[in-house]
Amino acid sequence: MKQNTTTWSTRADLAQQALHEKFWNPSTRMYDIETPCPGGACNTIFHYWWMAHAVEALADGFDRTHDSRYFETLSELYEGLLKRNGGAWPNTLYDDMEWMAIAWLRAYESTKDAKYKIAAIELWEDIKTGWNDHMGGGIAWQKSQLDYKNTPANAPAVILATRLYKCFRNEDDLSWALKIYDWQKRMLVDPESGFVWDGMNRLGDGNIDKDWTFTYCQGVFIGAAQELYQATGDESFLADADRSALAAIEKLTDPATKLLPEEGNGDGGLFKGIFVRYAANLASDNSSCVDELTHVLLSNVEALWDEGRDKERNVFGPAWSRPPEAIVELGTQISGIILLEMAAKLETRGLRLQSAEVIG
């Protein structure tokens, strides 16, 4: 063991560098969906929402360093994604569009490039068409299934609408955020514990998928509540976020290690990254459970770096407690980057995610 002299910011740089070196495809101006990917042969599916989180990870790097490489890659990725999506931003999945809008709004806030603002607003106008009266309200998951409502399509919409309001002070955006939040909390948050359920009426039977216990759902509701607290000053939203955060820690982390669960490759590879992003935001914002949150974040980021990293390639798999396989997916790499970026952010805010001795 040696005294740690390496900051989480340095480690985030290494992971971001690996993202560029191992995944970036200059011919498509997008990221390959896995590495290795000889000749781009892996890119048989357009993972729209993975790319949205790549955008936000680049915004994280730019905000932290102001390095022009992040600025330049954001612009290239914008062009590559727009071309791949047919020249416009909307698609058929409301949750995917919400993530893309959140990402481009982040990019706009970071760079002040107006094209990112235009993209976010174009998406938001389409997203609002997903609200309907099936299941008492809420935004549908997809355009072909308007009566299926879930947390992935509603809590991120609250985050987006609230951030739009904070950026541009359009009261209609705040009204949308409050309306969607009210439906989300009434329908898909356990009133006894604060644990967040995934969705309802997926099979047309009105049932709630209470057994789908994903870190993703906890993260986005925490984020929605915390954003509304920031926008309104209403401490009931902060209390909602704290309650759900504690419920998530109790139900989803290992009691001994506080590690978050492995949720597989594919879309699940991004779930933990979403949780830690909004858990870290909450930890830095007057949360009553800051100690519990920082303990979980510290446990996971140390495990990721010391045990869950391919030390030669600086890439990450779906488990943060063991090295990845030879083939690494874009989603799990981004998830690990988010964790490192959040550790770096909290470090700069005085919440040092660092034990006395850490393997460097």
Side-chain angles (χ1 to χ4, degrees):
M1 304 288 284
K2 65 180 179 180
Q3 193 70 22
N4 178 45
T5 57
T6 306
T7 67
W8 293 116
S9 181
T10 301
R11 292 166 177 171
D13 280 337
L14 292 171
Q16 291 270 18
Q17 182 179 345
L19 176 66
H20 189 79
E21 292 177 352
K22 305 296 183 185
F23 291 90
W24 181 253
N25 188 328
S27 67
T28 62
R29 291 179 294 179
M30 296 191 303
Y31 292 101
D32 290 334
I33 62 172
E34 63 187 34
T35 188
C37 179
C42 68
N43 295 319
T44 57
I45 300 173
F46 178 34
H47 285 288
Y48 179 102
W49 87 287
W50 294 14
M51 296 295 170
H53 288 281
V55 170
E56 196 163 8
L58 289 171
D60 290 331
F62 184 75
D63 287 345
R64 179 173 51 81
T65 67
H66 303 291
D67 189 319
S68 63
R69 66 188 170 117
Y70 294 108
F71 183 93
E72 292 160 4
T73 305
L74 275 168
S75 186
E76 286 193 66
L77 184 54
Y78 173 94
E79 298 298 337
L81 289 174
L82 188 58
K83 179 180 178 181
R84 179 62 179 82
N85 204 54
W89 288 107
N91 75 3
T92 62
L93 293 161
Y94 287 106
D95 59 337
D96 285 15
M97 290 194 290
E98 289 158 15
W99 286 121
M100 192 64 79
I102 287 169
W104 289 128
L105 185 60
R106 276 286 315 280
Y108 170 71
E109 291 178 287
S110 299
T111 69
K112 303 308 178 187
D113 189 324
K115 67 175 180 278
Y116 303 143
K117 171 185 174 181
I118 292 168
I121 292 174
E122 176 187 346
L123 284 160
W124 176 225
E125 291 306 309
D126 197 300
I127 289 161
K128 288 185 284 189
T129 69
W131 179 275
N132 61 63
D133 291 334
H134 293 295
M135 312 312 298
I139 291 178
W141 177 55
Q142 60 178 333
K143 294 176 180 178
S144 62
Q145 193 179 9
L146 293 175
D147 59 351
Y148 172 38
K149 308 295 180 63
N150 63 7
T151 294
N154 284 274
V158 177
I159 295 169
L160 173 62
T162 309
R163 288 184 177 177
L164 285 166
Y165 168 72
K166 289 193 291 185
C167 279
F168 309 120
R169 293 296 164 178
N170 181 341
E171 292 289 340
D172 188 57
D173 292 333
L174 181 59
S175 295
W176 269 101
L178 291 168
K179 178 172 73 168
I180 300 167
Y181 184 87
D182 175 70
W183 181 89
Q184 168 72 45
K185 183 180 176 181
R186 284 187 295 106
M187 297 297 191
L188 291 176
V189 178
D190 184 349
E192 295 183 2
S193 69
F195 194 79
V196 184
W197 300 317
D198 184 83
M200 63 190 309
N201 203 44
R202 177 171 53 90
L203 301 177
D205 55 9
N207 288 335
I208 297 174
D209 292 314
K210 296 182 180 181
D211 55 340
W212 284 16
T213 55
F214 300 130
T215 57
Y216 176 124
C217 294
Q218 316 314 307
V220 289
F221 181 73
I222 290 166
Q226 188 251 350
E227 290 286 343
L228 280 171
Y229 165 67
Q230 285 192 338
T232 67
D234 185 337
E235 294 196 355
S236 69
F237 294 119
L238 184 63
D240 287 349
D242 287 346
R243 187 164 176 255
S244 291
L246 290 173
I249 291 169
E250 180 180 357
K251 189 161 186 174
L252 296 180
T253 64
D254 182 277
T257 66
K258 292 304 176 184
L259 294 185
L260 293 161
E262 178 179 353
E263 292 171 289
N265 278 303
D267 286 345
L270 267 167
F271 287 2
K272 291 197 295 290
I274 291 167
F275 176 81
V276 298
R277 178 179 295 285
Y278 294 106
N281 287 348
L282 179 60
S284 66
D285 192 22
N286 202 32
S287 171
S288 66
C289 56
V290 60
D291 291 340
E292 293 89 343
L293 288 166
T294 52
H295 179 51
V296 168
L297 292 164
L298 172 63
S299 299
N300 280 272
V301 77
E302 286 187 338
L304 174 74
W305 195 255
D306 297 341
E307 304 167 26
R309 171 176 59 116
D310 180 323
K311 292 179 171 57
E312 293 184 0
R313 296 184 292 166
N314 285 319
V315 294
F316 317 105
W320 287 349
S321 59
R322 66 174 185 272
E325 303 293 334
I327 295 176
V328 176
E329 291 190 348
L330 176 64
T332 63
Q333 181 68 10
I334 294 170
S335 198
I337 287 172
I338 295 169
L339 177 59
L340 289 163
E341 289 286 1
M342 293 306 100
K345 181 169 78 169
L346 291 180
E347 192 171 50
T348 63
R349 295 185 180 185
L351 294 170
R352 295 187 63 82
L353 292 186
Q354 181 175 309
S355 57
E357 291 187 326
V358 182
I359 298 174

